[in-house]
Amino acid sequence: MAFLPVNFGLPGLGSIPTGQVYDQYFKDKTAKFSDFHLAFVEFCKDLNTVLPGQDFDTPSLDQLKDFYEKTWEPLKGDHEKKKVEFVKYINQTVKEATVDDSLFIMAGLAAPAGAIVLKRTGESIPQLKKFRLDLLPNVIFVPLCTLGAIMGATALQMGKKRKQIHS
């Protein structure tokens, strides 16, 4: 029995038996591309469940369809070759997602100073004066603003990633 030689920098993933993955998700379930696609999505969902906190960039629908038509379909009854080709394909296309940490660092560095400036200017600007920011102690206000900035940076990253996937 072979093992998935995929290593995403995490222990344990290389110990997933290829035969078990193939039998569970793909054997006798992939007569059409739509079935293959559903099996692949289920495999990726379970992969992300097994490795919480990890995010993987998977191939686009066109890449998956190309693999199915050119590699998978011609190997109709040869399950051993399908296992080998599937593992090869996974190694080539499924990669650990990369995140640009510079946005988080910038938000984390700029937010505390911005919070203090906001609080001080809030005392003289009529629109901000009604929020009574002067009543909040800096010990609470600064971390809340920093957390909000980091959450905003995360949302921005997710939005950019979603646009890349759908384009």
Side-chain angles (χ1 to χ4, degrees):
M1 178 180 298
F3 294 92
L4 275 175
V6 182
N7 184 1
F8 295 110
L10 297 170
L13 186 61
S15 65
I16 298 174
T18 307
Q20 187 179 9
V21 169
Y22 178 82
D23 291 344
Q24 181 177 350
Y25 297 100
F26 298 98
K27 187 176 183 182
D28 303 324
K29 296 181 185 178
T30 57
K32 301 181 294 189
F33 174 72
S34 59
D35 298 335
F36 178 79
H37 182 248
L38 286 174
F40 191 82
V41 168
E42 185 179 343
F43 166 71
C44 290
K45 180 185 71 97
D46 289 349
L47 179 67
N48 284 326
T49 302
V50 169
L51 301 167
Q54 290 296 314
D55 191 21
F56 299 99
D57 290 332
T58 56
S60 68
L61 183 62
D62 292 335
Q63 290 172 318
L64 197 60
K65 192 169 191 166
D66 189 50
F67 169 76
Y68 180 81
E69 290 171 353
K70 292 181 179 173
T71 308
W72 190 268
E73 210 170 29
L75 301 172
K76 287 218 187 278
D78 195 347
H79 294 295
E80 288 304 314
K81 277 193 176 181
K82 279 186 174 183
K83 285 180 195 179
V84 170
E85 291 300 321
F86 173 73
V87 170
K88 219 187 296 184
Y89 184 70
I90 291 296
N91 282 329
Q92 291 171 352
T93 58
V94 177
K95 305 288 182 206
E96 188 173 348
T98 56
V99 179
D100 184 15
D101 291 335
S102 64
L103 188 61
F104 298 107
I105 292 169
M106 296 281 285
L109 291 174
I116 297 299
V117 168
L118 176 69
K119 192 169 180 186
R120 286 200 181 142
T121 57
E123 296 169 1
S124 59
I125 297 176
Q127 291 85 356
L128 291 176
K129 205 173 202 176
K130 64 182 173 186
F131 290 112
R132 298 296 310 232
L133 296 177
D134 59 313
L135 296 177
L136 278 172
N138 286 349
V139 178
I140 295 172
F141 186 68
V142 172
L144 282 175
C145 287
T146 304
L147 181 64
I150 291 173
M151 288 172 61
T154 303
L156 188 66
Q157 281 271 354
M158 291 172 68
K160 284 182 183 178
K161 192 174 196 177
R162 203 170 272 129
K163 281 182 184 176
Q164 287 174 351
I165 290 171
H166 294 298
S167 61

